[in-house]
Amino acid sequence: MMTSTQTKQLVVVTGASSGIGKATAIKLATMGYHVIAGVLSMTEAEQLQGENIEPFVLDITDDQQIALLVQRIRQDPDHRLLQVLINNAGVELNAPFELLPLQEWRRQLDVNLFGQVALTQQLLPLLRESRGRIINITSVGGKVALPNYAAYAASKFAFEAASDALRREVARQGIDVVVIEPGGVQTEMAAYSGDLSLAFAEQMSSDQKALYGAMISKAVGSQTAFLKHALSASKAGATIAKIATKARVKARYSLGMDAKMTLPMAHLLPTRMMDLALR
Ligand SMILES: NC(=O)c1ccc[n+]([C@@H]2O[C@H](COP(=O)([O-])OP(=O)(O)OC[C@H]3O[C@@H](n4cnc5c(N)ncnc54)[C@H](OP(=O)(O)O)[C@@H]3O)[C@@H](O)[C@H]2O)c1
């Protein structure tokens, strides 16, 4: 996508303080892009200093911070265009559908869907100017809803759907929308999410434990096992950076062997068989 005469085009990566976002931001910066790296606080920004990386305080659920980002790009001192937006920020707290408090359902939808929508809406005019690209980091969980992952999966299914609709709406405007569906990636989120689920389970009543305790332990156990062989964040970041910048891209990529195996299976198997397989 970028030629040697076009170095230092602007790229925005959200949720760049850790994990996949950080690795993607660092990789793109080494490739010569100027990366505006979204972080939640300036303390996190300190770990992200480096050539071509500009940490920027960006909570994607905060309209004012989004407006400041738009202003920053519009007033770029070198008149560079925004070439790529990487919607990577995300949160998860996995717990049974019945027991996860509604406010926690809302928080996950708020960050994993509405925040991405809010930011994308505001950056679309800038991407129209550059005929740029949007990369949406969804998840295998955006295609396969595992037990204990209802809220997270709901947010990622919705993000997948919104991405497809958006791609079909803006293709004629010269903007491309690409979905990347990672399986397990060794990141902070992945490392802590099992502990968060177990801590949630600890707070459950004995009746609730009888209903859901074993399910949560199984979900956490299999996630831990999967993560041992999962992609590293730096490999995931390098792949995302490559997809973000190559000339011709598919509309959708899966990331990691587990994703590449699970997604076709989910497509082929009848739902009841998938239910059994996932149980
Ligand atoms: N790791 C996996 O196995 C895996 C698998 C499939 C999909 N994914 C997806 O990949 C993306 C990156 O996840 P990760 O594993 O790299 O997790 P991570 O290390 O926890 O990164 C998530 C990033 O999002 C930021 N964030 C949280 N709330 C935000 C908000 N309101 N506004 C802006 N940024 C916010 C976090 O900031 P703080 O750290 O400051 O809270 C962090 O930088 C997520 O969308 C996740 O759903 C991950």
Side-chain angles (χ1 to χ4, degrees), residues 14-21 38-41 44 58-61 87-92 107 111-112 116 137-141 152 156 181-190 223 227:
T14 66
S17 68
S18 62
I20 297 171
V39 292
L40 288 181
S41 74
E44 290 169 344
L58 180 65
D59 179 334
I60 57 170
T61 64
N87 283 313
N88 164 77
V91 290
E92 70 176 338
R107 184 183 76 97
V111 178
N112 298 353
Q116 322 282 7
I137 309 299
T138 60
S139 171
V140 171
Y152 180 75
K156 294 292 188 179
E181 298 158 339
V185 181
Q186 291 168 352
T187 66
E188 287 77 346
M189 175 192 277
Q223 189 202 19
L227 278 174

Side-chain angles (χ1 to χ4, degrees), residues 193-209:
S193 78
D195 291 346
L196 287 176
S197 282
L198 293 175
F200 185 93
E202 272 303 302
Q203 307 293 319
M204 296 184 329
S205 70
S206 50
D207 285 352
Q208 292 169 339
K209 281 181 182 155

Side-chain angles (χ1 to χ4, degrees), residues 1 5 14 32 38 44 125 130 143 148 169 187 201 235 251 266 274:
M1 177 186 260
T5 53
T14 66
E44 290 169 344
S130 67
K143 286 284 180 58
N148 207 43
E169 289 174 11
T187 66
K235 270 210 175 127
M274 255 328 253

Side-chain angles (χ1 to χ4, degrees), residues 52-122:
N52 295 340
I53 295 206
E54 177 186 336
F56 194 95
V57 174
L58 180 65
D59 179 334
I60 57 170
T61 64
D62 183 325
D63 292 345
Q64 277 187 337
Q65 291 181 9
I66 292 176
L68 288 172
L69 175 68
V70 174
Q71 195 180 60
R72 153 68 190 89
I73 298 169
R74 284 237 172 268
Q75 294 172 355
D76 185 71
D78 299 317
H79 308 289
R80 295 166 295 193
L81 297 179
L82 174 63
Q83 199 63 45
V84 186
L85 163 63
I86 303 185
N87 283 313
N88 164 77
V91 290
E92 70 176 338
L93 169 55
N94 301 315
F97 181 116
E98 183 179 356
L99 304 181
L100 189 71
L102 203 49
Q103 78 187 59
E104 180 55 34
W105 270 87
R106 290 202 168 104
R107 184 183 76 97
Q108 293 192 51
L109 270 290
D110 218 19
V111 178
N112 298 353
L113 178 66
F114 297 122
Q116 322 282 7
V117 171
L119 179 64
T120 304
Q121 284 183 332
Q122 296 309 313

